[in-house]
Amino acid sequence: MKLGRTAMGRGAAGYDEARRHYEAVVALGNTYPRPLALTRLAGLSRMRGAPAAGLEQLSQARRYLAPMDRAIPYVLGIERALLLESARCCIAMGLPDLAAGHARALLAISLEDMTWRLRAILLDLDVCLARGDWSAAKSRVKKARRDAALLAAKPEAGVKLELRELLARRESTFEPDRLREVAARLVELGADERLDGWRQFRARTIAIDAWFEVGDHARVAAAMPSDKILAASTPARRAELLALRARLALARGLPFAEREQLEGAVARRLADWRAGPIRPGGSGPLHFETNRASLTTMTVVAAREGEAAGTRLAFETLESALALGSVSRRIGSGSATLAAARGIVPPDGGMLLFVYGPNLGSLLALDATGLTHHAIRLDRELWRRAKAYRAAIERPPGPAGKQPESVRALRARGDALAERLLPLSVRRRIANWRSVLLVGPEPTARLLHALPWRDSWFCVEKAIAHVPSVSLGVGLQARAAASAREDVAESGKRRLDLVLLGDPNVDAEAASRWFVESLAMSQERRRQFEAGFAPGSVRARWGDDAVFSELDDPRTAGARALCIFSHGVRDYMRERAAGFLLAAEPGRAVACFADQVERVRVPPLVLLGVCGASNGPLRMGDDGNHHLGGAFLVAGAEHVVLGHGELSVGATRDLLCGALSAWRAGAGPGEALRRARESVARGEGRAHPYFFAGLRLLGLPD
């Protein structure tokens, strides 16, 4: 073990030697050092850009450690190392929600050992930063600074805590003078040998980003790492540094001489992700801000300097990143070509493909007239306002008497965002589109969907669908074509138009566990879902009859549509937390989750009147794998109507009934949902987007 640690101390040059030493220890058999050697191998995997492989090695280490006695100090040390590396791998995979559990467990068993106590505190702060919880990070630094015993025993703790505090301050500070103070101190920490090399690098690059934000390009150039540092960097750091250089060239209006090197570094980074396994709980490279920044900067440079060929390269690069999401890799066709993308563009509209980084966005518009690229200038203040706007859209607006004022204020905020996220050149380009296919990360798609449009709203004026990648859209289209051929072969069989499930009776145990109560809809309300459908074409199961086994019934799989209207629940002990209630037996409700959904076969159209159906840990790039929408796509759906936050029961019911009525009359799912939104928005007291924009369409356009 000591030989392995010595080799690792030499940095990347010693990684291969360290791996051989640790693999030799593992091969010795079930000895005490075996789980520690696997933990060290996991660390090597993470440092070489393969954290998913690290998680697999940690899983093996956990099995070997399980029967060992924690009262033995050596075993306790192994458990601490395993928890530390588990959290680090989770952070590297974009899974800070899972890392938080490991950090808490490590702190609980490390209070008496000052070395491990400091490591646990710093790990907890790193998790806060990875989750974007800046206020928690700053408050926990203050708490740690009051730990006199820790500071006395570990003199280096002060500078390590300060670094985390500065990183949190940088993300939550928007006043230029304060940003300059933060950047200047980060530059100093970038040369502080009490920090490891990676922390020094991070301090320096974040200082550069802050100098960019205040417009001090001279300081940016002065702080830029040298060619020597660039040459010695890992592929991920190389892409990041080259992107910073390109960003400086863009800011100064100069050509970028290292464009090919940047393109190669980004391609290498994406290839590393492509080589990793598909995680059941979802992940993707676009979760990481540095990856989004490298990607958007590269595509903007390519499109600016390469004209038509550069625009095509921008499309191919963005799509190759988007196609690495978990659902795209499970259903999709691999990174799709521009020709394949044209095959899923709605005929009465077009496609907007986008990735928005922290400071720069890359947006492509594709329709029958061609492909255009639009560079979008962004900043952190805009993203702060965007987050607040999205939250306002997804929560109840308050008393009806104050709604007009609330809607006016919301529109003003939304108009300001729309001017930045969909600038005039884009709005002119898409003005006559009737249908829009949004292709890109889900959080941004949710925001674009709910922006104002002229004197109305984008989702009311346009029939909008969203797929996280072109690859996923092409895969769904191919599956739909195969399903259509099966339908033709079985055309003589009678087929249900609609299966309805919902409003289970909520027993006391379920009410207490999930903080809900029965919807208790009247028979008249239930019949509204069936309005206009032919007798015998609807299978409705309400109350105690709304059991999960109905989803496994061949008649449900063979139906044209499935609608579930029930309470949404969240179980945060599960990695994929979103679920919904159905009946288990008379008088008792049970929660159903994504893994169960994926084991059944569902109709091509699924409508979920379920609060929080797309809720879950924020992982940009995992394209819905963490929530119910992705699960229903995997289970066979081509279109899934779903919501994100808490939904209005009455408005959601009217949206679903209206969409089903329009769909039955011949409209496609996107247009049917648009008409339903338009009708609900005209209703008394429902002018606020909370009532009509809560449901959106995931999957193929009409």
Side-chain angles (χ1 to χ4, degrees), residues 206-293:
I206 292 176
I208 290 172
D209 189 65
W211 290 128
F212 265 122
E213 190 161 323
V214 298
D216 195 334
H217 297 151
R219 297 245 186 175
V220 168
M224 197 71 72
S226 66
D227 290 343
K228 182 178 180 181
I229 292 175
L230 179 67
S233 296
T234 63
R237 290 191 197 177
R238 184 175 176 79
E240 184 178 354
L241 292 176
L242 286 166
L244 287 173
R245 291 184 176 189
R247 188 175 162 194
L248 181 59
L250 288 170
R252 289 177 162 177
L254 301 173
F256 181 53
E258 297 170 296
R259 174 184 153 190
E260 291 185 1
Q261 292 96 311
L262 175 57
E263 291 170 4
V266 170
R268 170 71 183 276
R269 181 71 175 136
L270 296 178
D272 289 343
W273 271 91
R274 197 174 296 113
I278 301 174
R279 285 197 72 260
S283 186
L286 294 183
H287 178 92
F288 299 95
E289 184 176 282
T290 53
N291 285 347
R292 297 197 303 277

Side-chain angles (χ1 to χ4, degrees), residues 331-377:
I331 298 176
S333 55
S335 183
T337 64
L338 183 57
R342 295 184 190 280
I344 62 170
V345 172
D348 61 345
M351 172 193 296
L352 290 178
L353 184 145
F354 51 86
V355 173
Y356 288 3
N359 308 101
L360 198 61
S362 199
L363 183 147
L364 292 132
L366 175 64
D367 61 12
T369 67
L371 176 70
T372 57
H373 179 271
H374 305 263
I376 314 293
R377 299 287 178 178

Side-chain angles (χ1 to χ4, degrees), residues 270 286 295-296 298-300 303 310-324 328 334-346 349-357 360-367 370-376 421-423 426 429-430 433 435-442 444-445 448 458 464-474:
L270 296 178
L286 294 183
L295 187 69
T296 53
M298 190 227 95
T299 53
V300 168
T311 301
R312 179 183 288 271
L313 175 62
F315 168 86
E316 292 170 349
T317 305
L318 290 182
E319 165 57 19
S320 65
L322 294 170
L324 291 175
S328 294
S335 183
T337 64
L338 183 57
R342 295 184 190 280
I344 62 170
V345 172
M351 172 193 296
L352 290 178
L353 184 145
F354 51 86
V355 173
Y356 288 3
L360 198 61
S362 199
L363 183 147
L364 292 132
L366 175 64
D367 61 12
L371 176 70
T372 57
H373 179 271
H374 305 263
I376 314 293
L421 298 172
L422 294 175
V426 176
R429 178 83 163 80
I430 70 176
W433 292 3
S435 299
V436 180
L437 177 60
L438 299 176
V439 181
E442 183 175 326
T444 312
L448 297 178
F458 199 37
I464 300 175
H466 168 237
V467 287
S469 70
V470 174
S471 170
L472 177 55
V474 171

Side-chain angles (χ1 to χ4, degrees), residues 32-280:
Y32 277 118
R34 192 177 194 181
L36 182 57
L38 284 163
T39 300
R40 301 291 188 220
L41 286 169
L44 282 169
S45 296
R46 172 178 54 81
M47 288 184 280
R48 298 182 111 168
L55 289 175
E56 292 295 320
Q57 289 160 326
L58 290 166
S59 179
Q60 294 179 51
R62 206 168 280 112
R63 288 198 298 272
Y64 292 126
L65 182 66
M68 296 184 183
D69 185 359
R70 298 323 193 261
I72 300 172
Y74 183 78
V75 175
L76 179 61
I78 295 174
E79 183 172 21
R80 287 169 172 162
L82 194 153
L83 288 168
L84 177 65
E85 189 55 49
S86 295
R88 286 174 172 172
C89 283
C90 285
I91 291 172
M93 282 293 295
L95 308 170
D97 51 304
L98 298 185
H102 298 308
R104 286 193 298 269
L106 177 60
L107 186 58
I109 62 172
S110 302
L111 295 176
E112 303 304 319
D113 184 308
M114 289 301 170
T115 297
W116 277 103
R117 183 158 148 187
L118 177 59
R119 288 173 181 168
I121 289 170
L122 295 176
L123 178 64
D124 180 54
L125 291 171
D126 290 340
V127 170
C128 289
L129 295 172
R131 298 174 85 167
D133 194 344
W134 321 125
S135 60
K138 288 185 285 189
S139 67
R140 291 178 191 183
V141 167
K142 289 181 181 178
K143 180 181 178 182
R145 282 178 171 154
R146 294 194 295 268
D147 190 339
L150 176 68
L151 296 179
K154 309 298 293 184
E156 73 277 16
V159 70
K160 294 181 178 181
L161 292 170
E162 184 187 9
L163 173 63
R164 273 75 174 184
E165 180 187 40
L166 287 168
L167 297 181
R169 283 178 59 195
R170 188 270 171 274
E171 296 296 338
S172 55
T173 299
F174 302 98
E175 202 276 319
D177 286 342
R178 292 186 178 180
L179 268 180
R180 290 186 181 96
E181 292 174 7
V182 170
R185 182 58 183 144
L186 282 171
V187 169
E188 293 174 359
L189 291 185
D192 194 317
E193 294 185 356
R194 290 173 293 178
L195 298 174
D196 60 52
W198 187 87
R199 300 290 176 194
Q200 292 178 16
F201 172 83
R202 183 56 56 218
R204 204 161 169 185
T205 55
I206 292 176
I208 290 172
D209 189 65
W211 290 128
F212 265 122
E213 190 161 323
V214 298
D216 195 334
H217 297 151
R219 297 245 186 175
V220 168
M224 197 71 72
S226 66
D227 290 343
K228 182 178 180 181
I229 292 175
L230 179 67
S233 296
T234 63
R237 290 191 197 177
R238 184 175 176 79
E240 184 178 354
L241 292 176
L242 286 166
L244 287 173
R245 291 184 176 189
R247 188 175 162 194
L248 181 59
L250 288 170
R252 289 177 162 177
L254 301 173
F256 181 53
E258 297 170 296
R259 174 184 153 190
E260 291 185 1
Q261 292 96 311
L262 175 57
E263 291 170 4
V266 170
R268 170 71 183 276
R269 181 71 175 136
L270 296 178
D272 289 343
W273 271 91
R274 197 174 296 113
I278 301 174
R279 285 197 72 260

